[in-house]
């Protein structure tokens, strides 16, 4: 076909922002919400991974990867779910050695042993205490004594002051008995790692009031002939004049101990312990993070390459982007490998390859098999073997590409950063006079950051119209710095003509939910907000928070006066715009009472407010139907407040029934069976509320 006879490009339809129809529906988003809980490789090179499935009520399953002849297959029986609740955030849920996998079962929190080859049922290894009050995480196999060494968290005496220890379970004993305690006495432990002869064990420990990224210690214990730790050496973190937080210890096959710490430079870099001289030496110094804060167990940011004992495959984050590198421990050089991923998590060493967890602006969370050349300095093959959303490429033309923006904060000379996703749809455009509304999403977790990766939750909206200094930026300033940055970011986008200053909305999860509520209480920048399991009362949070974070809140806030003055619940009179709240009723991190408390206070003031509570959900929603409903309710909520258009939802209850007539089934005054509209929201902000 000649150029002159080619069909003309399709003319875009003109419609208001937010009203554009999109194939990225709430069903697509909720079905693509699989998450990863880690990877492992057995002695034959078979890959295993743990995936959570929203379509199975959030059940987590260990999957054995396929080969050229076989497809991937589940090895977890249907009546099991692999997940530990140690320290409430979990992680380090399973471990593989030979043809054996040991995992934590969510329902009873007991450890089970299972064959990866035969269909025999899992066998319990730990005692049944009637209730799931003892949990385990971050375990490793001890081949010298045929046992399993793991972190144990015991809540039998106190749920708020659990006892953490490093324990060992005998694997050749058919009698179920209490594990043997190897190390105890401190508040917290992580990363028990044995050398290849089983004669030394490294581990990380820390104590209140610190979090593991504030101050921690790396210890090495020497193991006797009867399996006890008889001598201990503090490798890093013991010198009070050096502020550091060592993490991720790992032994080489030659018996060298590597780990990551942030001493001197202030960034987490890889170091080596010279045992003979009792010295710690940096392998390569770079103002980049070679690991991430240990909110969960089992982080694996680097691996010693099996075929090249002097080479370490590592991931590091620099200026908002992740990189895959090869660190030569003999020459102390770092070579950067080119991959399509811009965001990396864990690395697992396979047979003549690496398995990396990552994502990018066009790749959802995935596992890729990376094959290197003979020198392990170049990538010769990159193949995605698992994807959280394997059909996401079908909607590529609808993807909004994130723009990295830098904006000034209220602190003179200090900058903050964000990713801006502009409205993108191949079939629609808005009038030139209209600027798009803004939904500002604050990330969860004070030590976290935004990632410019493919997230269908974000694309649902757009298709419709760091170092120690960074980690410590919020100390004593939580509720101030984050609030100011949110407002500064929104104003920067308004000033640059990217968004409509009269249609600014804000949302966030967990700590991001707190920032949302605090921003609406203390500032007048936004017109509406959505809080997902967010914090309304800092004092109540402090009283109810689990042991892991029980002192962290003090470090973030400060005095009792600060706790009061930064709690949105104490300034209800300053709220002036509608809010919708979402909360899991089994949340152990942020009590459901927090959402009820802010709901009742705003309701009594007469503000339009809605509360959605989900039975069976914890801190973070895992069930597909709840993820879907939350997204739809947010869409209806924001569209009614910042636009005058019909909400383009497909196959949805709210899309089929007028918003005013959605029926609500009450189970009590505040709790509902997955459907809730407490009020008919006004068509635009500022109009009178009309009760349903």
């Amino acid at each position: 076909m000649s150029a002159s006879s080619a069909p003309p490009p399709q003319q875009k339809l003109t419609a208001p922002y937010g009203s554009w129809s999109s194939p990225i529906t709430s069903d697509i988003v909720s079905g693509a919400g699989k998450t990863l809980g880690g990877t492992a490789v057995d002695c034959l090179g078979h890959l295993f991974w743990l995936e959570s499935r929203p379509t199975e009520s959030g059940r987590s399953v260990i999957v054995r990867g396929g080969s050229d002849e076989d497809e991937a297959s589940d090895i977890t029986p249907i009546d099991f779910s692999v997940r530990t609740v140690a320290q409430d955030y979990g992680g380090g849920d399973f471990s593989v050695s030979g043809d054996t996998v040991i995992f934590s079962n969510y329902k009873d929190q007991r450890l089970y042993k299972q064959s990866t080859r035969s269909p025999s049922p899992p066998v319990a290894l730990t005692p049944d205490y009637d209730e799931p009050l003892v949990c385990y995480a971050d375990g490793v196999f001890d081949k010298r004594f045929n046992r399993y060494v793991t972190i144990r968290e015991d809540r039998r005496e106190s749920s708020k002051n659990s006892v953490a220890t490093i324990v060992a379970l005998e694997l050749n004993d058919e009698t179920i008995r209490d594990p043997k305690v190897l190390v105890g006495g401190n508040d917290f432990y992580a990363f028990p790692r044995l050398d290849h002869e089983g004669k030394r064990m490294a581990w990380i420990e820390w104590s209140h009031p610190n979090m593991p990224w504030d101050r921690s210690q790396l210890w090495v214990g020497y193991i006797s002939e009867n399996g006890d730790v008889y001598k201990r050496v503090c490798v890093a973190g013991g010198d009070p004049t050096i502020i550091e937080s060592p993490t991720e210890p790992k032994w080489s096959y030659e018996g060298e101990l590597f780990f990551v710490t942030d001493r001197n430079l202030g960034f987490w870099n890889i170091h080596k312990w010279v045992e003979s001289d009792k010295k710690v030496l940096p392998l390569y110094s770079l103002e980049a993070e070679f690991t991430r804060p240990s909110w969960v167990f089992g982080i694996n940011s680097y691996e010693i390459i099996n075929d090249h004992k002097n080479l370490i495959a590592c991931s590091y984050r620099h200026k908002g982007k992740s990189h895959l590198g090869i660190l030569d421990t003999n020459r102390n050089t770092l070579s950067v490998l080119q991959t399509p991923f811009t965001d990396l998590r864990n690395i697992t060493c396979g047979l003549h390859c690496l398995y990396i967890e990552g994502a990018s602006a066009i790749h959802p969370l995935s596992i890729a098999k990376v094959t290197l050349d003979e020198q392990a300095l170049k990538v010769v093959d990159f193949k995605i073997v698992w994807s959280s959303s394997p059909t996401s490429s079908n909607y590529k033309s609808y993807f909004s590409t994130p723009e990295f923006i830098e904006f000034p904060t209220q602190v003179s000379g200090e900058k903050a950063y964000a990713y801006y996703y502009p409205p993108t749809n191949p079939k629609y455009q808005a009038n030139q006079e209209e600027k798009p509304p803004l939904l500002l999403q604050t990330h969860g977790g004070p030590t976290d950051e935004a990632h410019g990766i493919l997230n269908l939750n974000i694309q649902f909206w757009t298709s419709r119209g760091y170092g120690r200094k960074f980690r410590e930026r919020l100390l004593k300033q939580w509720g101030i710095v984050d609030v100011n940055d949110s407002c500064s970011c929104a104003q920067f986008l308004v000033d640059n003509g990217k968004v409509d200053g009269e249609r600014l909305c804000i949302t966030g999860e967990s700590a991001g939910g707190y920032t949302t509520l605090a921003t609406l209480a203390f500032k007048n920048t936004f017109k509406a907000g959505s809080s997902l399991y967010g914090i309304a009362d800092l004092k109540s949070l402090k009283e109810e928070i689990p042991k892991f974070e029980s002192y962290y809140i003090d470090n973030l806030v400060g005095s009792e006066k600060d706790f009061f003055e930064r709690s949105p619940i104490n300034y209800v009179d300053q709220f002036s715009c509608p809010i919708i709240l979402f909360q899991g009723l089994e949340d152990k991190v942020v009590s459901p009472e927090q959402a009820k408390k802010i709901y009742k206070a705003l309701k009594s003031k007469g503000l339009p407010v809605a509360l959605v509570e989900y039975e069976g959900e914890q801190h973070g929603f895992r069930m597909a139907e709840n993820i879907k409903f939350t997204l739809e309710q947010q869409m209806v909520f924001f569209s009614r407040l910042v636009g005058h258009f019909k909400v383009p939802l497909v196959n949805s209850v709210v899309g089929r029934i007028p918003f005013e007539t959605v029926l609500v089934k009450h189970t009590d005054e505040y709790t509902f069976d997955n459907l809730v509209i407490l009020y008919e929201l006004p068509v635009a902000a500022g109009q009178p509320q009309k009760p349903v």
Side-chain angles (χ1 to χ4, degrees), residues 108 116 217 232 267 295 355 464 478 564 602 607 679:
D108 57 15
T116 61
Q217 295 179 340
R232 306 180 188 185
F267 287 83
W295 283 100
Y355 292 102
R464 288 169 170 82
W478 195 29
F564 181 89
L602 294 174
L607 271 180
Y679 291 97

Side-chain angles (χ1 to χ4, degrees), residues 207-488:
S207 57
H208 281 148
N210 296 307
M211 297 299 284
W213 49 85
D214 295 325
R215 279 181 180 265
S216 59
Q217 295 179 340
L218 167 62
W219 287 78
V220 168
Y222 296 83
I223 301 174
S224 66
E225 293 300 321
N226 64 358
D228 293 327
V229 175
Y230 71 91
K231 184 176 74 171
R232 306 180 188 185
V233 174
C234 185
V235 173
D239 187 342
T241 65
I242 300 176
I243 299 175
E244 63 177 327
S245 51
T247 184
E248 285 201 66
K250 200 180 300 285
W251 296 94
S252 72
Y253 287 90
E254 287 72 29
E256 294 180 307
L257 179 62
F258 298 98
F259 63 99
V260 180
T261 191
D262 56 352
R263 61 166 58 189
N264 300 328
L265 191 62
F267 287 83
W268 272 314
N269 284 193
I270 299 177
H271 290 64
K272 180 174 71 172
W273 180 47
V274 182
E275 184 176 11
S276 58
D277 297 331
K278 300 294 187 291
K279 289 183 179 180
V280 170
L281 302 176
L283 293 183
Y284 189 86
S285 297
L286 184 67
E287 290 190 354
E289 301 281 46
F290 283 75
T291 188
R292 56 191 187 274
S294 295
W295 283 100
V296 298
F297 289 103
I299 292 174
N300 203 49
S301 303
Y302 70 99
E303 279 273 60
I304 300 169
I305 299 179
N306 296 333
D307 303 328
H308 301 270
K309 308 303 183 185
N310 64 308
L311 299 183
I312 293 176
C314 55
S315 64
Y316 64 94
R317 195 155 181 85
H318 182 61
K319 294 184 177 180
K321 183 180 179 181
S322 295
H323 304 269
L324 180 64
I326 299 295
L327 182 59
D328 189 320
T329 61
N330 291 338
R331 301 178 181 179
N332 292 357
T333 58
L334 180 67
S335 303
V336 181
L337 302 178
Q338 300 301 316
T339 77
F341 289 163
T342 57
D343 190 88
L344 296 172
R345 300 186 183 182
N346 296 320
I347 298 175
T348 298
C349 195
L351 293 182
H352 314 298
C353 67
L354 301 172
Y355 292 102
I356 61 174
E357 301 173 26
S360 72
I362 60 173
H363 294 95
L365 178 61
S366 307
I367 302 174
K369 180 180 180 181
V370 180
T371 305
L372 306 178
D373 63 4
E374 291 185 0
Q375 289 75 37
L377 296 177
K378 291 184 179 180
V379 175
V380 296
D381 188 46
F382 180 92
K383 179 183 179 182
I384 291 180
V385 296
W386 177 88
S387 172
S388 59
S389 178
T391 62
S392 61
S393 59
N394 296 343
Y395 316 106
K396 188 174 181 180
S397 62
Y398 290 83
F399 291 166
S400 174
T401 303
E403 301 174 11
F404 185 73
I405 64 171
E406 179 183 278
F407 58 92
T409 70
Q410 293 193 12
V411 178
S412 178
E414 190 173 276
K415 299 288 185 68
Y417 310 92
Y419 287 100
Y420 171 62
Y421 292 78
T424 304
N425 190 306
K427 297 182 179 180
Y428 288 89
Q429 64 183 3
N431 290 318
Q432 292 185 355
E433 295 78 17
E434 183 187 9
K435 289 186 174 64
L438 173 70
L439 179 59
L440 190 143
Q441 185 174 18
T442 54
H443 62 70
T447 62
D448 203 355
E449 62 178 301
H451 299 263
I453 62 177
L454 178 59
N455 182 335
L456 290 186
N457 195 307
I458 293 176
Q459 304 299 335
F460 174 88
W461 297 93
T462 57
S463 63
R464 288 169 170 82
Y466 290 102
R468 175 174 286 272
K469 182 180 178 182
F470 164 76
R471 296 197 301 274
E472 294 179 346
R473 189 165 174 255
L474 278 186
L475 295 184
K476 309 299 183 186
Q477 297 294 309
W478 195 29
I480 298 177
V481 168
D482 49 323
V483 167
N484 289 339
D485 283 357
S486 297
C487 296
S488 297

Side-chain angles (χ1 to χ4, degrees), residues 79-204:
D79 50 343
F80 285 82
S81 178
V82 179
R83 182 177 158 214
T84 178
V85 296
Q87 288 182 183
D88 291 287
Y89 293 99
D93 311 84
F94 78 105
S95 186
V96 175
S97 179
D99 61 355
T100 301
V101 58
I102 292 178
F103 66 88
S104 177
N105 184 42
Y106 174 62
K107 185 177 181 179
D108 57 15
Q109 288 299 295
R110 299 173 73 186
L111 286 179
Y112 288 79
K113 179 175 67 173
Q114 180 187 5
S115 171
T116 61
R117 298 182 186 179
S118 67
S120 57
V123 177
L125 293 175
T126 54
D128 183 359
Y129 301 108
D130 295 328
E131 295 182 70
L133 297 176
V134 179
C135 42
Y136 307 86
D138 207 11
V140 292
F141 287 82
D142 182 354
K143 295 180 180 179
R144 179 185 175 192
F145 294 99
N146 192 26
R147 61 185 183 177
Y148 190 68
V149 177
T150 182
I151 305 296
R152 181 180 68 179
E153 185 180 50
D154 192 338
R155 305 176 182 178
R156 285 175 290 178
E157 292 187 5
S158 171
S159 60
K160 287 185 63 66
N161 191 27
S162 57
V163 177
T165 50
I166 301 177
V167 299
L169 302 167
E170 300 293 337
L171 297 181
N172 55 0
D173 191 347
E174 295 183 359
T175 303
I176 297 177
R177 62 187 74 214
D178 280 323
K180 177 180 183 179
V181 176
L182 299 180
V183 179
N186 211 333
D187 290 319
F188 304 99
Y189 296 93
F191 296 106
R193 299 295 183 261
L194 293 157
D195 69 14
H196 292 276
E197 294 182 345
K199 295 183 178 180
R200 294 172 296 175
M201 180 175 70
W203 70 87
I204 300 295

